[in-house]
């Protein structure tokens, strides 16, 4: 089966799944309603002039090549000639500044002329032989020919460009006039490191890696020119003029140049040209962002503000991007390197973490403001903050006039941030300082946030999106990666269509050598430069899929495509999408790959580099191997969301290399089912409480490999999970068609009519109890607990389970509730006590899975558990079973509609059971052992249950959880004292 997402109305980007919470319910993902069966047609050539269509049935259905009209120009479009024009070209939108994305021509009154500041090359006597003379050997310090274009203040006729003949007759380096941004003449530079690097001599080395480009030009801006939409200078990195390129290990080409004494106020981008073949997207008229940019500017100072100089809606939301160059070495005292003040990470063991999934803007609006909220997070027992994406993205991506919020009339925003523009830069708009100092100040503001988290004994994990980018499908935007090398950065079919394993229009080509290196470099950059403690990988299964290695020339010819299209006039491919779970997430297209035959019937090899079908699930993916074996990265927290939108579900089977943990989606689903009272989940609940040994033990992993969660940003909040049977996403502007339908929720009433707020006291009380039951399951299970921002006090999103586009109260912490000690009828207090309880008792943080030696299962009677399908009761005793930690606990969950009187396990002489918590009781007695209860109140509460405990019995009310602790008898305690 092939999965095709429903189309969004914006910029041709096709998307159904917004963001990274993944696919709830595992393989039952959001794309399940957009599938159809497919039959593939393959060309079979009997002779050079006789094309025969060979039809092969591939697991049902029908998908064909694009119509001929969609492929016009493929055969007739020759490789692009070397660019002749510079700034002032009427076909160059960047000549008037803000059209670098849309490609519109400037108005006549805005056309700007330029001068090419070069001296004429010295004459060279042609050799007697027709073969060209060998190029002279170049030293690293040799000066390099460049073409610089500068904006003249008045309109003057532009100088004619150097002729091809003059340019090709010599490799002697030619001096150039200095630009307003630097002093001295550019030289060849070095191919490493990639991106822009400040050298000790105050020069800046630029290096760009691309596999298929044929021409690269470095574009420079001053701050003033960039803001006004002008280009300050351009340097054409033409190898025939003296510049050198280097071959990388994967045959990619690295274009590089060193610009001396370059101002730190300089911004830059690239023009990149290449072959006009299927799947390539080179456009020399567009200025693209360096994939290795370390700070980013886009002429929008503050979050949510549009580009006021834009002339159309696209430019308002998507202005030209540019990167700043590194700061000077010898800066003034006010601009010294960031001071970490000696603060270091607490470096907790993974098993000891309590993770809080939060959002910068949802917690504090900016990095700076968020620092003031850290004491609150610490007070609820959090010691690790997992931030939703902070890589540079565009919050205005979904700001479409046609899909405003029906309730408020607000424009939609890309709030979550799962749509990356650059992988090396913290989100500039999250900084209070905005784009100050060419974006450098925003980087420092994020560093300050990390430093203060560490000062508060809190680690920082970043949610990273190495599965797709903001550029959308083949109809999307050209911002960076697409323009540098579309075929290398994205998973594309031989004929150029995008594979869509992400559900968001494109799929990052993670196991392509060039992309794998970028991913590793990005991760190391954030560890070494920003001191972050780890990463959570959104839709991480995409990182296990085989890359595409097609360059565009290996596919069917235009003649063959035309014949196929004419045979099936209604055919077409918008996106190449993955199959369902029956094909393990792999494309049938590559399961039985397209084959061309010669006149003797022998198959013609398609692409020698594509030895494994595109999208195949790899056992040893190069990118994961590189991350896991890197000496820096293998020592930080690595957490996988082990599924993708193509149906590949790898919870428990994700390639872990001994260092990876996983979001345990099965924990979420099984706990939800058991707590709400579904039959058939008592065995699964037992496994989840033990750290999921059925999932992780066979592969040699431990309970800490399981990141346990009941809710996350993507889906219902905890309060909505117990208040809604159906999603309520109408305010998203998509007619409630977006978001997950399979939520495993229950509103604690008699039907859908009970959804939402209610005045029924019984329903209200049951909802409060159920939320406490979920917190018990989360904190009492072996593994690492993760709570979602706002769940601690019972935040509601009014039943909206897909709030990706709301920059408002739905996604903000309600600080009035959060700071109220009894908010949510004491839910925040209960959550805090549970986090502290887990941290204090090793029985709930075991280093290995429980065994018979430290865990015994019970039913209504001791040691007689009920594992039948209809059972809704589970109880067990658990201990760390070590001399240092001999404590023993009795834990019971009753998901029945009725109360149960249980017989407790016998304790050795001198011990008795004491109640720790009972979710059927109201606050503060729900957690009776808490320190905030007075001795008098605690004595009264314990006195009410003491008669039962003395008889070794206990009544567990319907839909509640109880925890008892074995303690010394009072007489024995006095003797010890």
């Amino acid at each position: 089966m092939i999965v095709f997402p429903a189309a969004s109305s914006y910029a041709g980007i096709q998307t159904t799944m917004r963001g990274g919470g993944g696919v709830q319910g595992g393989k039952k993902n959001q794309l399940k309603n957009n599938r159809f069966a497919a039959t593939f047609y393959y060309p079979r050539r009997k002779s050079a002039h006789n094309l025969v269509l060979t039809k092969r049935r591939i697991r049902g259905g029908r998908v064909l090549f694009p119509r001929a009209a969609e492929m016009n120009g493929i055969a007739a479009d020759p490789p692009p000639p070397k660019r002749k024009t510079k700034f002032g070209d009427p076909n160059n939108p960047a000549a008037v500044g803000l059209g670098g994305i849309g490609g519109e021509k400037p108005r006549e009154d805005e056309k700007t002329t330029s001068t090419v500041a070069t001296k004429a090359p010295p004459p060279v006597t042609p050799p007697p032989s027709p073969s060209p003379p060998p190029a002279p050997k170049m030293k690293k310090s040799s000066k390099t020919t460049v073409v610089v274009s500068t904006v003249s203040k008045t309109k003057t006729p532009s100088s004619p460009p150097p002729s091809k003949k003059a340019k090709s007759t010599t490799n002697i380096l030619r001096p150039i006039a200095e630009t307003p941004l630097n002093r001295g003449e550019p030289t060849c530079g070095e191919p490493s490191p990639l991106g822009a690097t400040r050298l000790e001599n105050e020069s800046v080395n630029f290096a760009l890696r691309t596999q298929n480009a044929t021409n690269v030009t470095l574009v420079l801006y001053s701050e003033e020119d960039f803001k006004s939409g002008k280009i300050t200078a351009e340097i054409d990195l033409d190898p025939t003029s003296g510049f050198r390129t280097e071959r990388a290990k994967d045959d990619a080409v690295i274009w590089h140049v060193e610009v001396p004494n370059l101002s730190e106020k300089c911004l830059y981008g690239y023009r990149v040209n290449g072959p006009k073949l299927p799947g390539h997207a080179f456009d020399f008229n567009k200025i693209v962002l360096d994939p290795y940019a370390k700070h980013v500017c886009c002429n929008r100072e503050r979050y949510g503000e549009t580009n006021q100089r834009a002339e159309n809606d696209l430019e308002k939301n998507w202005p030209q991007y540019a990167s700043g160059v590194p700061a000077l070495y010898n800066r003034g005292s006010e601009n010294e390197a960031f001071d970490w003040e000696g603060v270091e990470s607490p470096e907790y063991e993974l098993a000891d973490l309590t993770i809080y999934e939060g959002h910068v803007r949802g917690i504090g609006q900016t990095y700076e403001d968020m620092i003031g909220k850290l004491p609150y997070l610490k007070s609820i027992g959090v010691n690790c903050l997992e931030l939703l994406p902070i890589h540079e993205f565009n919050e205005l991506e979904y700001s479409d006039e046609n899909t405003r919020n029906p309730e408020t009339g607000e424009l939609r925003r890309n709030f979550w941030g799962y749509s990356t523009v650059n992988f090396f830069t913290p989100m500039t708009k999250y900084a209070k300082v905005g784009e100050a100092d060419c974006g450098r100040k925003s980087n420092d503001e994020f560093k300050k946030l990390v430093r203060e988290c560490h000062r508060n004994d809190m680690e920082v994990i970043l949610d990273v999106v190495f599965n797709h980018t903001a550029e959308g499908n083949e109809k999307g935007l050209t911002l960076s990666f697409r323009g540098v090398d579309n075929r290398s950065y994205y998973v594309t079919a031989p004929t150029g269509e995008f594979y869509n394993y992400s559900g968001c229009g494109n799929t990052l080509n993670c196991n392509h050598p060039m992309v794998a290196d970028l991913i590793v470099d990005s991760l190391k950059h954030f560890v070494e430069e920003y001191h972050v403690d780890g990463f959570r990988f959104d839709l991480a299964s995409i990182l296990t899929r085989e890359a595409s290695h097609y360059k565009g020339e290996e596919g069917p010819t235009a003649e063959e495509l035309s014949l196929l299209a004419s045979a099936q006039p209604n055919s077409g491919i918008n996106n190449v999408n993955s199959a369902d779970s029956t094909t393990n997430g792999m494309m049938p297209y590559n399961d039985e790959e397209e084959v061309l035959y010669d006149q003797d019937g022998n198959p013609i090899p398609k692409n020698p580099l594509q030895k494994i079908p595109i999208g195949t699930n790899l056992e040893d993916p190069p990118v994961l191997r590189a991350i896991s074996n890197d000496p820096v990265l293998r020592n930080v927290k690595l957490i996988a969301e082990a599924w993708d939108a193509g149906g590949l579900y790898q919870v428990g089977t994700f390639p872990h290399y001994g260092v990876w943990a996983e979001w345990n989606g099965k924990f979420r689903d099984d706990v939800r089912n058991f707590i709400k009272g579904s039959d058939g989940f008592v065995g699964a609940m037992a496994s989840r409480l033990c750290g999921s040994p059925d999932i992780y033990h066979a592969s040699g992993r431990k309970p800490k490999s399981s990141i346990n969660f009941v809710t996350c940003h993507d889906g219902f909040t905890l309060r909505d999970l117990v208040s809604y049977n159906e999603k309520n996403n109408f305010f998203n502007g998509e007619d409630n068609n977006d978001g997950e339908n399979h939520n495993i929720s229950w509103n604690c009433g008699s039907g859908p009519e009970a959804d939402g707020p209610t005045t029924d006291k019984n329903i209200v009380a049951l909802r409060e109890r159920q939320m406490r039951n979920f917190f018990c399951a989360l904190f009492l299970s072996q593994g690492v607990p993760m709570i979602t921002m706002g769940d601690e006090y019972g935040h509601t999103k009014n039943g909206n389970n897909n709030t990706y586009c709301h920059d408002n109260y739905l996604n903000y912490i309600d600080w009035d509730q959060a700071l109220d000690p009894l908010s949510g009828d004491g839910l925040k207090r209960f959550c805090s006590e549970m986090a502290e309880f887990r941290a204090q008792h090793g029985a709930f943080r075991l280093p290995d899975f429980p065994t018979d030696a430290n865990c015994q299962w019970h039913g209504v009677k001791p040691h007689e558990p009920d594992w039948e399908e209809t059972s809704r009761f589970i109880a067990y005793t658990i201990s760390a079973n070590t001399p240092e930690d001999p404590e023993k606990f009795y834990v019971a969950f009753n998901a029945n509609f009725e109360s149960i009187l249980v017989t407790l396990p016998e304790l050795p002489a001198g011990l008795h059971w004491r109640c720790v918590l009972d979710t059927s009781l109201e606050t503060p007695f729900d957690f009776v052992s808490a320190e905030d209860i007075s001795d008098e109140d605690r004595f009264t509460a314990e006195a009410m249950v003491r008669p039962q405990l003395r008889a070794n019995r206990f009544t567990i009310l319907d839909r509640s959880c109880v925890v008892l602790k074995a303690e010394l008898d009072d007489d024995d305690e006095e003797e010890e004292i």
Side-chain angles (χ1 to χ4, degrees), residues 118-374:
T118 63
K119 292 184 179 180
V124 177
T125 304
S129 170
S131 60
K137 293 183 178 180
M138 310 289 291
K139 296 181 179 180
K140 288 185 178 180
S141 60
S142 61
K143 299 175 182 178
T144 309
T145 302
V146 295
V147 178
V148 176
S149 55
T150 58
V151 181
S152 60
K153 302 258 179 148
T154 59
K155 293 186 178 181
T156 58
S158 59
S159 302
S163 66
K164 277 190 176 181
K165 181 177 180 181
K167 200 165 193 177
S168 62
T169 56
T170 179
N171 278 336
I172 297 177
L173 301 175
R174 294 173 292 174
I176 66 166
E178 293 178 354
T179 76
L181 298 170
N182 78 295
R183 300 187 309 275
E185 301 170 8
T187 57
C188 287
E190 298 294 335
S192 179
L194 296 174
T197 306
R198 178 72 65 174
L199 307 180
E200 292 184 1
N201 63 2
E202 302 296 7
S203 297
V204 175
N205 189 84
F206 297 89
L208 179 71
R209 182 178 179 183
T210 172
Q211 191 169 50
N212 297 298
T214 58
N215 188 208
V216 173
T217 294
L218 175 66
V219 179
L220 303 177
Y221 307 91
S222 67
E223 274 192 305
E224 296 75 15
D225 284 348
F226 184 68
K227 289 178 181 179
S228 61
K230 300 177 182 178
I231 294 172
T232 306
E234 295 186 56
I235 302 175
D236 192 340
L237 309 185
D238 184 3
T240 65
S241 301
F243 281 103
R244 292 202 302 269
T245 58
E246 307 290 337
R247 284 281 179 184
K249 58 186 177 182
D250 62 335
D251 282 337
V253 176
I254 300 176
W255 303 71
H256 49 90
V257 60
E258 179 180 331
V259 182
N261 299 299
L262 188 61
S263 168
E264 63 180 13
K265 299 298 184 181
C266 176
L267 300 166
Y268 77 96
Y270 289 102
R271 300 187 192 276
V272 184
N273 212 349
K276 303 298 186 197
L277 292 170
H280 290 302
F282 296 109
D283 188 342
F284 217 61
N285 287 327
K286 296 179 179 178
I287 301 172
V288 296
L289 183 67
D290 184 356
Y292 276 75
K294 301 305 190 298
H295 24 276
V296 173
C297 296
C298 68
N299 273 340
R300 291 197 300 107
E301 286 290 332
R302 291 177 177 79
Y303 185 95
E305 290 185 359
T306 59
N307 176 14
Q308 300 301 316
R309 299 186 68 257
E311 297 181 359
N312 56 61
D313 289 338
L314 181 62
E315 290 177 1
K316 285 181 181 179
N317 297 336
W318 291 96
Q320 179 69 54
Y321 280 93
S323 173
V325 300
L328 294 169
Y329 270 99
N330 300 316
R331 306 189 89 192
S333 59
E334 296 181 358
N335 294 315
E336 292 179 353
F338 181 80
D339 184 5
W340 289 95
E341 300 179 358
V343 178
E344 297 181 352
S345 169
E347 294 184 349
Y348 296 112
E349 291 293 326
L350 178 61
D352 295 332
L353 293 183
T354 297
I355 301 174
Y356 188 86
E357 188 197 30
H359 187 283
V360 171
R361 190 162 172 82
I363 295 175
Q365 299 293 301
T366 67
Y367 303 130
E368 180 74 28
D369 294 338
M370 192 174 174
I371 293 173
K373 311 299 183 183
L374 298 180

Side-chain angles (χ1 to χ4, degrees), residues 767-778:
R767 289 176 178 178
E768 298 296 332
R769 189 185 307 176
Q770 287 289 74
M771 287 191 285
R772 286 164 172 76
N773 292 337
F774 279 120
F775 273 134
C776 287
L778 185 63

Side-chain angles (χ1 to χ4, degrees), residues 16 46 100 489 638 701 747:
T16 58
K46 291 284 187 178
Y489 276 110
L638 300 172
R701 289 193 274 181
N747 62 21

Side-chain angles (χ1 to χ4, degrees), residues 895-918:
N896 284 293
F897 295 95
E898 298 177 348
S899 300
I900 297 178
L901 177 63
V902 301
T903 301
L904 300 175
E906 292 286 345
L907 289 173
L911 294 175
H912 69 277
W913 291 113
R914 185 175 184 178
C915 184
V916 174
L917 66 88
D918 185 344

Side-chain angles (χ1 to χ4, degrees), residues 590-648:
N590 290 287
D591 242 344
E592 192 170 350
E593 195 174 13
E594 177 192 18
V595 178
L596 294 178
Y597 296 86
D598 61 22
Q599 58 184 358
D600 298 321
N602 299 315
I604 301 173
K606 295 296 296 175
N607 182 2
L609 295 177
Q610 198 69 54
K611 298 177 181 178
I612 301 174
I614 297 171
T616 300
N617 175 21
L618 303 174
E619 293 183 2
D620 184 25
V623 65
L624 294 184
R625 186 194 326 129
I627 294 171
S628 305
N629 292 320
D630 186 89
V632 173
L633 298 178
R634 71 176 289 108
N635 294 316
V636 302
K637 278 74 175 179
L638 300 172
I639 302 171
E641 184 187 40
W643 55 81
D644 66 20
L648 183 55

Side-chain angles (χ1 to χ4, degrees), residues 834-857:
M834 287 301 306
E836 184 177 355
F837 179 76
R838 175 183 179 272
Q840 290 177 346
H841 302 292
F844 303 101
R845 294 179 290 108
L846 297 176
D848 209 338
F849 298 107
T851 65
D852 291 342
N854 60 353
C855 181
Q856 298 81 39
W857 298 99

